[in-house]
Each structure stands twice: as structure tokens, then as C-alpha cells.
Amino acid sequence: MNDTISRIHEESRQYALTANEAAQYLRRNNARIRGLTVTQNEDCRKVVTEFIPKNLHVHIGEDDIESAYTISARSRAEQATSSPSSRQVSPVVMVRFLRRDMRDNVIRNRRLLKSTKYSIVEDLTKLNMVVLKRLKKVTWCKKLDIVDHTVIMSKLAKLQLPGNIYNWIGAFLSNRDQICRYRGFVSKSTTCNRGFVQGSGLGPTLFVVLTLDLNTVSNYNVIVKFADDSTLLVLENFDVGVEIEFNNVQEWAGDNTMILNLIKTKELIFHNP
């Protein structure tokens, strides 16, 4: 009987996880903008397309957005007693982009909103929000493909390398073109200003340089970095908890134009028997 109950619980858990992954996949083109106020008479999509180029330096038009609408942060009671023409308090604007790469460009440039009243976050399911708050293992999205060359070169400059080595690495990363071949069809050549050459010995080394300044907030906690996986080891009941540590990782990711792969993140809790 106990084995049957355990099996049913495990099947239910697997079903919930599968449903959560599917729900998160459907949100892959979404982003939430916090702090952007929109009145009832304003076109939300137009407000967003004016905000993003001005504040994030990403060229975007209304045709690049499938939908945009506000989500009120106020309770229903507050909405009932407020003036219809008043602006929303602590608004959240939900934006669905037509293309994933457009959304990713917006997410990468959200570091430009630092020290402002605005912020941009991914549209997460409720389960992933719980994981986000208690996250211990961090996985980066396509780590070698999205590294910004300007970021890595600025970090190499701080290492005081010999000039010829620094220039050689810069030349190695510069002026590289990429094509895509599929079933006999070949795409146009495009210059790449991000990522490292796959299979090169230099790529993993440069990624190590990129993450040199990724450290924990508390000296009691530990971050273990291995390739595109970073594991946070956070002690219970100490000065800094996992939520603060993860916010620190998020801020580092924004500053370095990296994206966290929240779908592949896992939490593992150790406790005494």
C-alpha cells in the first residue's frame, strides 16, 4: 500500500514538473517590465517601444511585439476605490515579443537600468519563482555562445597581460563570420561579436576569466564554478541567505550580459537525519 502511494506521489510530481516546463516554454518570449507606468488612455505597446530603445539601446518597433499589457500590483479593493484616470501604483508591464532573440537582447541590456526605478525580469511560472527564491545551482544559457567580447577584453586588460598576448586574443575573437548549413541550404554570412569558437582551447580559459569576479556576498558561503554550471553552497541560519546570494548572481549576470537558464536550475537541500 505504501509503495503504491509513493508511486502515485512520484508520478504526480513528475507530471507537475513536466507541466511546469511546458508552461515555462510557452513564456520563453515574455518579459516583465517593472516601474513603467501606463495610463488607461495610453497604448501600452507604443509606450514599451518608446521605452526600450531609449533606456536599453535596443532597436525595436511595434511590429516586434506580439502583445503588451499592464498587470496591476494593487489589490482588488484598492482598484475599486481608486480613480479610473489615475496611474497605476507599482505597475508591471507584461511584454510578449515575436522573437526570442529580441527578448534576449532586452534581458541582456537590463543592466542599463541599474540605479533607476525600472527593472526587467523574465516571466516565470509560480514553481520557478519558488526555485528562484531558493536557488542553489545556477546554469548559464549557452555560455560560450553569448559572451560579449567587449566584456571579456575589459577583464583581460585588468590582468596586466603582455601587450602581444592581449592583442593576439583580441585578434582571435575579432572579424569572425558565421554561416548555418541545413540540408544543403546555406545562410548568408554574419559577423559574430559574441561567443567563442567552439572546440578551441581558448574558449574555456576565457570563460574562467569571465567568472573570476563572480563571488559570494558572505565569506561563509561558497560558489563552485565549473564550465557553465555554478553551484551556490549556502549555510542555514548564517548572516546571508540564499535569496541574497542569488540576487548577487543575478546582478553579476546583468553586468556581464549573461543569462541564467532557470529551467535547468536545481535545488538540493542537505539536512541531518
Side-chain angles (χ1 to χ4, degrees), residues 123-138:
D123 181 27
L124 302 179
T125 62
K126 290 183 178 180
L127 179 58
N128 283 342
M129 282 298 296
V130 174
V131 174
L132 178 66
K133 292 180 179 179
R134 303 186 62 190
L135 189 63
K136 287 182 174 61
K137 182 175 181 182
V138 177

Side-chain angles (χ1 to χ4, degrees), residues 156-174:
L156 287 171
K158 297 178 182 178
L159 297 181
Q160 299 181 347
L161 297 174
N164 59 332
I165 299 297
Y166 177 84
N167 292 334
W168 177 79
I169 295 176
F172 178 81
L173 296 175
S174 304

Side-chain angles (χ1 to χ4, degrees), residues 32-164:
R32 297 186 177 211
I33 305 177
R34 296 173 178 167
L36 184 61
T37 54
V38 182
T39 61
Q40 284 189 339
N41 296 327
E42 288 182 306
D43 184 342
C44 193
R45 183 182 298 184
K46 183 177 180 180
V47 172
V48 171
T49 53
E50 291 176 352
F51 171 82
I52 290 178
K54 179 180 178 181
N55 294 276
L56 299 175
H57 302 165
V58 176
H59 178 71
I60 190 172
E62 293 187 38
D63 293 340
D64 296 314
I65 297 178
E66 181 177 326
S67 62
Y69 53 92
T70 58
I71 304 174
S72 178
R74 297 179 299 183
S75 66
R76 292 185 178 180
E78 289 175 318
Q79 292 180 32
T81 57
S82 63
S83 172
S85 60
S86 62
R87 286 182 175 268
Q88 296 181 4
V89 179
S90 302
V92 175
V93 177
M94 177 73 73
V95 184
R96 181 171 180 83
F97 297 90
L98 284 176
R99 303 197 320 271
R100 173 70 180 271
D101 61 328
M102 181 65 70
R103 191 217 69 152
D104 289 349
N105 287 337
V106 170
I107 293 291
R108 290 191 190 103
N109 283 16
R110 63 184 173 182
R111 70 188 188 281
L112 299 176
L113 301 177
K114 192 174 181 179
S115 301
T116 70
K117 68 175 183 177
Y118 307 108
S119 64
I120 296 180
V121 296
E122 298 181 59
D123 181 27
L124 302 179
T125 62
K126 290 183 178 180
L127 179 58
N128 283 342
M129 282 298 296
V130 174
V131 174
L132 178 66
K133 292 180 179 179
R134 303 186 62 190
L135 189 63
K136 287 182 174 61
K137 182 175 181 182
V138 177
T139 302
W140 307 103
C141 292
K142 300 180 180 179
K143 48 119 182 177
L144 294 181
D145 295 336
I146 65 174
V147 176
D148 192 324
H149 293 169
T150 59
V151 173
I152 192 65
M153 293 306 295
S154 66
K155 294 195 175 188
L156 287 171
K158 297 178 182 178
L159 297 181
Q160 299 181 347
L161 297 174
N164 59 332

